[in-house]
Amino acid sequence: MKKRKTVGLALGSGGFRGFAHLGVIKTLEKHGIPIDLISGASIGSWVAAHYALHRDMEKMEREITENPREKLPILFDLSWRGGIMNGEKFEKFLRKDLGSGDISQTPTPLFIVATDLDNGEEVVFEKGKISSVVHASCAVPLVFKPVEYQKRTLVDGGLSNPVPCDILKKRGADVVIGVNLYHHNEFIEKKFTMAKVLLRGARITAHNLAVNSCKFADVTISPDTSQFINTVKLKRYFDAEVIEALVQVGIDATEKMILKIKAILGK
């Protein structure tokens, strides 16, 4: 009997837009596409960790959308020392969601990327306290205080490897599916203020780095979340309406690539 190909899924960074990852996973499951190992950076690390532990995106969506006013305070843990937010409330929230176990113990092999602030290097975790490592991977500079963990000062994994596909290839995946949230439609607007020039510069850097990361993917799924960037304010990040819309974007983008994925897998 012919051995089936192993599939790795790399979930990229992109802030609150990362809830589109839930729709990607739901659609892969719907079509019987296996996920044998999974990696993530920034928001992608949280979704990847939840899947690796629970394999239940419905559960994650339900938990996120229930009582959004209770969840928003995790983003208002003011510090002003190393970042606007301390991050302690966020890690407490992650411990409740993911537990305090070790990454190496997840049912689906999990790999999480953070960035070493001291030298700029990518740090790949396949062992370590899951809530602390996800916190580190999500620690956007200036927004969150850097995370001190295992004698390193760690920040957002998206700064070094926003769609960590290469890690899955190195860990034995035959087929890697990358999910890139930095869509080219982010660059439609042509009128710039000074602040918008700064933001555009950051988005260009993220976009180009993500495209480079996806060179290691056999298939790249690109949910177009650009419409949410300027229309969704911080206070609506956990609104059911917003999250459901992002999940649907993930579903639609994945459906477009299903035939290609199945062809590669010989289904």
Side-chain angles (χ1 to χ4, degrees):
M1 184 176 177
K2 187 178 179 181
K3 182 182 177 182
R4 75 166 177 82
K5 296 176 180 178
T6 59
V7 179
L9 178 65
L11 302 181
S13 60
F16 79 101
R17 294 174 292 159
F19 295 128
H21 290 316
L22 279 68
V24 172
I25 294 174
K26 284 183 179 183
T27 308
L28 293 175
E29 290 182 325
K30 170 187 168 184
H31 288 277
I33 308 299
I35 301 172
D36 299 298
L37 53 165
I38 191 166
S39 65
S42 200
I43 184 66
S45 75
W46 179 15
V47 181
H50 197 284
Y51 178 82
L53 276 168
H54 306 297
R55 297 178 181 173
D56 189 346
M57 292 297 98
E58 294 289 350
K59 179 178 185 290
M60 185 174 189
E61 185 175 355
R62 189 168 59 251
E63 289 175 350
I64 293 168
T65 55
E66 285 178 351
N67 301 316
R69 290 184 181 180
E70 292 180 8
K71 294 181 176 63
L72 200 56
I74 69 173
L75 301 177
F76 292 96
D77 184 11
L78 298 181
S79 167
W80 303 108
R81 296 185 63 184
I84 298 172
M85 291 172 248
N86 189 290
E88 290 180 3
K89 289 183 179 179
F90 181 52
E91 182 155 345
K92 183 178 179 181
F93 173 80
L94 289 173
R95 282 198 300 272
K96 182 178 178 182
D97 181 49
L98 304 172
S100 299
D102 196 275
I103 291 173
S104 61
Q105 298 171 339
T106 57
T108 300
L110 171 65
F111 308 93
I112 291 176
V113 176
T115 303
D116 190 318
L117 189 61
D118 292 327
N119 56 29
E121 293 180 354
E122 168 191 83
V123 182
V124 181
F125 288 96
E126 49 191 305
K127 292 190 292 185
K129 185 178 177 182
I130 194 164
S131 57
S132 296
V133 173
V134 170
H135 176 194
S137 185
C138 293
V140 179
L142 296 182
V143 177
F144 282 105
K145 180 180 176 181
V147 176
E148 301 292 337
Y149 186 68
Q150 294 186 352
K151 298 181 179 180
R152 292 178 182 266
T153 303
L154 301 170
V155 291
D156 190 349
L159 296 177
S160 54
N161 195 348
V163 193
C165 301
D166 59 323
I167 295 167
L168 300 176
K169 283 288 188 183
K170 292 173 184 175
R171 298 315 193 274
D174 298 312
V175 176
V176 173
I177 302 169
V179 186
N180 180 9
L181 299 176
Y182 300 107
H183 199 276
H184 61 80
N185 281 347
E186 292 182 24
F187 305 124
I188 291 175
E189 185 178 358
K190 304 300 180 185
K191 295 181 180 180
F192 300 110
T193 62
M194 188 177 294
K196 287 182 178 180
V197 168
L198 181 63
L199 288 171
R200 176 59 63 87
R203 286 173 185 163
I204 289 171
T205 300
H207 176 81
N208 289 334
L209 190 56
V211 168
N212 189 64
S213 290
C214 288
K215 289 179 180 178
F216 296 92
D218 297 283
V219 178
T220 299
I221 298 171
S222 301
D224 183 2
T225 59
S226 58
Q227 61 180 304
F228 298 90
I229 295 174
N230 297 318
T231 59
V232 177
K233 305 302 180 185
L234 178 62
K235 65 181 181 181
R236 296 197 64 207
Y237 278 10
F238 295 103
D239 277 10
E241 181 182 353
V242 172
I243 291 173
E244 287 169 8
L246 284 165
V247 170
Q248 188 61 50
V249 169
I251 290 171
D252 294 341
T254 309
E255 288 286 359
K256 292 177 181 177
M257 304 304 295
I258 283 296
L259 290 179
K260 182 175 181 180
I261 294 169
K262 288 183 175 181
I264 291 172
L265 293 177
K267 282 182 168 284

